[in-house]
């Protein structure tokens, strides 16, 4: 008898653990949003969309020339040369989150940048230095 118990005790423990796990998961499905308990409005596959307008701005003295590097709506780096200030670029997107970044350098002694999301200024920096360079960043817009 002892040999039989010695041979089957491990498979019996495994079967009991699996049975307890199946029971626990089935109970959690009933409590934590199984598809049967989710309202139809949520199950239709649509996602909430909040359009975002992100505006990059570079400002400084009139006649300042230079270049701006920024991330577009697909987070791809872009470079533009500006021949006068202020300079701006607008992104309109329906993505859940946008990483917004602009770096600018000009040939004047003062330069500033600003990132606005849906009318709210999220970052603004200004610098005074020879051939000023400025950087603005919004990690999650």
């Amino acid at each position: 008898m002892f040999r039989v118990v010695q041979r089957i005790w491990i498979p019996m423990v495994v079967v009991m653990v699996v049975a307890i796990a199946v029971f626990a998961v089935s109970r959690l499905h009933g409590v934590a949003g199984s598809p049967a308990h989710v309202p139809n409005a949520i199950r239709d596959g649509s996602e909430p969309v909040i359009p975002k307008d992100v505006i990059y701005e570079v400002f400084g003295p009139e006649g300042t020339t230079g270049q701006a590097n920024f991330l577009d709506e697909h987070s791809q780096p872009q470079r533009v040369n500006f021949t006068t200030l202020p300079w701006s670029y607008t992104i309109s997107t329906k993505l859940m989150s946008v990483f917004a970044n602009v770096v600018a350098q000009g040939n004047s002694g003062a330069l500033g940048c600003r990132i606005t999301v849906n009318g709210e200024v999220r970052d603004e920096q200004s610098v005074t230095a020879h051939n000023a360079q400025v950087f603005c960043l919004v990690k999650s817009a």
Side-chain angles (χ1 to χ4, degrees):
M1 176 76 173
F2 182 69
R3 286 191 126 145
V4 171
V5 171
Q6 196 175 20
R7 293 178 114 183
I8 66 168
W9 80 271
I10 292 178
M12 291 296 290
V13 169
V14 169
V15 167
M16 287 197 30
V17 167
V18 169
I20 291 170
V22 167
F23 176 75
V25 168
S26 68
R27 296 292 296 171
L28 287 174
H29 273 295
V31 174
S34 82
H37 296 93
V38 177
N40 286 337
I42 297 173
R43 277 193 280 152
D44 69 358
S46 65
E47 296 179 17
V49 176
I50 301 171
K52 292 179 182 61
D53 291 322
V54 179
I55 302 172
Y56 296 123
E57 297 175 81
V58 177
F59 52 88
E62 275 189 48
T64 300
T65 62
Q67 61 181 228
N69 296 284
F70 61 94
L71 295 176
D72 66 11
E73 61 272 12
H74 305 291
S75 295
Q76 297 300 310
Q78 303 295 324
R79 178 187 297 192
V80 296
N81 293 319
F82 54 83
T83 56
T84 187
L85 292 179
W87 170 87
S88 70
Y89 182 80
T90 302
I91 297 171
S92 294
T93 184
K94 292 182 181 178
L95 294 173
M96 298 298 282
S97 181
V98 175
F99 187 84
N101 175 7
V102 63
V103 178
Q105 183 170 9
N107 65 354
S108 69
L111 201 60
C113 67
R114 181 182 305 119
I115 298 176
T116 307
V117 180
N118 289 343
E120 177 189 345
V121 175
R122 299 286 299 271
D123 192 17
E124 183 171 344
Q125 304 294 325
S126 59
V127 164
T128 54
H130 178 69
N131 290 334
Q133 180 178 5
V134 68
F135 175 85
C136 289
L137 171 69
V138 175
K139 292 181 183 177
S140 180

